Amino acid sequence: MRLIVLGAAAGGGFPQWNSACAVGRRAWQRDPAARWRTQCSVAISADGERWSLLNASPDLRQQILATPTLHPRHGPRHSPIAAVVLTNGDVDHVAGLLILRESQRFDLYATGAILEVLERNPIFNVLNPEFVRRRRLRLEQPLALDGGTTIVPFAVPGKVPLYLEGEALEIGAETEDVIGLELWTEHRAKAFFVPGCARLTPALAERLAGAALVLFDGTLWTDDEMIRSGTGVKTGARMGHMSVSGPEGTLAAFAALGVRRKVLIHINNTNPILLDDSPERAEVEAAGWEVAFDGMEITL
Ligand SMILES: [Zn+2]
């Protein structure tokens, strides 16, 4: 299985258009240690010909331009992109669907809850149903994607998208609103894509233990990072993301799981691990983690 990180940043990208916090300023200055990153999406394929996108970010057009593997190859209309799989309904994961609207055949997979969100937003009708089949993902049901990869969707603690938050908001529920994806290689090795996760439950920890590769929620370094950097008023917990650092954080939670390759992805523009020379980056690397970047390729 080949995996290409099309975008490694969380919503807003790095730098975010209106953010000049301490971390973002380095990116605006084109500091080489503060590499720009687009919003989170990953492409996977077993045969190298037919690719599936895990989430469709608003930066998708730019991501395709930057990735020769995804360029059209046969005239007059062609794309190696055979499918899109959504892990939730957040803007940074679905807005890229609008880029894929030119009557091109592909399968769109999402849970019932997320398909309903798309149905309720008529702008997504630009995806012509004659070409784009919307197909329901069923939790825990293996699904063979065009291109030879099998995925298994599973519920992850999270919440509904920000634009659907009501008064009775529940955070951390394991429903169809937020999923992770188990990816099976041809050799039955297991990899995981979990770009958003509110907490690592014992069941989830058990599932991830011993995996060949995990790409995991690296949104925030500390829970109060948005508040302290003056960029927001919400904690990570309120946004449905566990932090990377701290006793309850991702580094601690994975310490004993025996995952062979650990990659932080979906990184918010305030997170100091984005800076190659930060102490926080040194700390994640010392704990055996890599920080994803656009164009990162992994073969399993
Ligand atoms: Zn996101």
Side-chain angles (χ1 to χ4, degrees):
M1 183 177 70
R2 278 176 69 201
L3 185 153
I4 304 174
V5 174
L6 303 180
F14 182 59
Q16 179 174 301
W17 70 284
N18 65 345
S19 176
C21 66
V23 177
R25 263 200 306 274
R26 300 252 321 252
W28 287 117
Q29 290 158 359
R30 302 310 306 243
D31 183 329
R35 202 186 315 191
W36 288 15
R37 286 165 171 85
T38 59
Q39 294 166 84
C40 186
S41 176
V42 164
I44 57 166
S45 176
D47 66 13
E49 293 290 324
R50 309 285 287 155
W51 290 78
S52 297
L53 304 184
L54 311 184
N55 290 330
S57 103
D59 299 320
L60 183 53
R61 179 175 177 277
Q62 180 187 343
Q63 293 168 342
I64 292 170
L65 296 183
T67 312
T69 314
L70 299 181
H71 293 180
R73 282 195 285 279
H74 323 288
R77 287 272 200 266
H78 169 257
S79 171
I81 297 168
V84 177
V85 184
L86 303 177
T87 63
N88 71 13
D90 286 351
V91 170
D92 58 316
H93 302 172
V94 304
L97 292 172
L98 302 176
I99 312 289
L100 301 174
R101 69 186 177 279
E102 315 292 352
S103 291
Q104 182 67 39
R105 195 168 295 285
F106 69 92
D107 291 328
L108 172 57
Y109 293 98
T111 61
I114 302 307
L115 288 179
E116 216 182 288
V117 171
L118 299 182
E119 266 155 39
R120 287 211 304 265
N121 282 275
I123 196 169
F124 291 105
N125 294 342
V126 296
L127 296 174
N128 183 343
E130 278 179 38
F131 294 90
V132 180
R133 279 192 299 179
R134 297 187 188 189
R135 310 186 67 175
R136 183 169 173 194
L137 284 178
R138 300 197 183 264
L139 298 179
E140 305 298 340
Q141 301 276 307
L143 169 78
L145 294 170
D146 201 359
T149 312
T150 296
I151 61 169
V152 186
F154 56 91
V156 168
K159 67 166 187 66
V160 295
L162 175 63
Y163 56 85
L164 292 179
E165 285 185 3
E167 274 171 25
L169 174 67
E170 194 183 348
I171 299 168
E174 291 172 78
T175 65
E176 285 197 335
D177 290 321
V178 181
I179 60 168
L181 298 171
E182 195 171 300
L183 317 170
W184 293 353
T185 71
E186 308 88 298
H187 322 293
R188 290 268 159 157
K190 278 186 190 170
F192 290 87
F193 180 61
V194 186
C197 184
R199 78 200 137 81
L200 201 70
T201 62
L204 183 52
E206 194 181 320
R207 177 170 216 137
L208 301 176
L213 168 71
V214 175
L215 295 144
F216 197 79
D217 183 347
T219 308
L220 297 176
W221 177 249
T222 54
D223 193 50
D224 60 354
E225 181 172 313
M226 304 280 292
I227 299 163
R228 278 201 292 150
S229 63
T231 56
V233 294
K234 285 181 192 162
T235 61
R238 171 64 184 78
M239 295 188 293
H241 294 289
M242 60 192 282
S243 310
V244 175
S245 67
E248 308 276 292
T250 302
L251 300 188
F254 273 77
L257 295 188
V259 174
R260 262 175 284 158
R261 195 163 174 190
K262 299 177 286 189
V263 180
L264 291 163
I265 195 165
H266 193 278
I267 305 155
N268 196 57
N269 55 79
T270 50
N271 190 334
I273 66 169
L274 287 167
L275 304 173
D276 295 347
D277 55 4
S278 67
E280 293 84 358
R281 168 69 72 83
E283 196 174 328
V284 298
E285 287 177 351
W289 286 82
E290 298 167 72
V291 175
F293 54 89
D294 293 16
M296 181 184 206
E297 280 206 46
I298 297 173
T299 302
L300 279 177

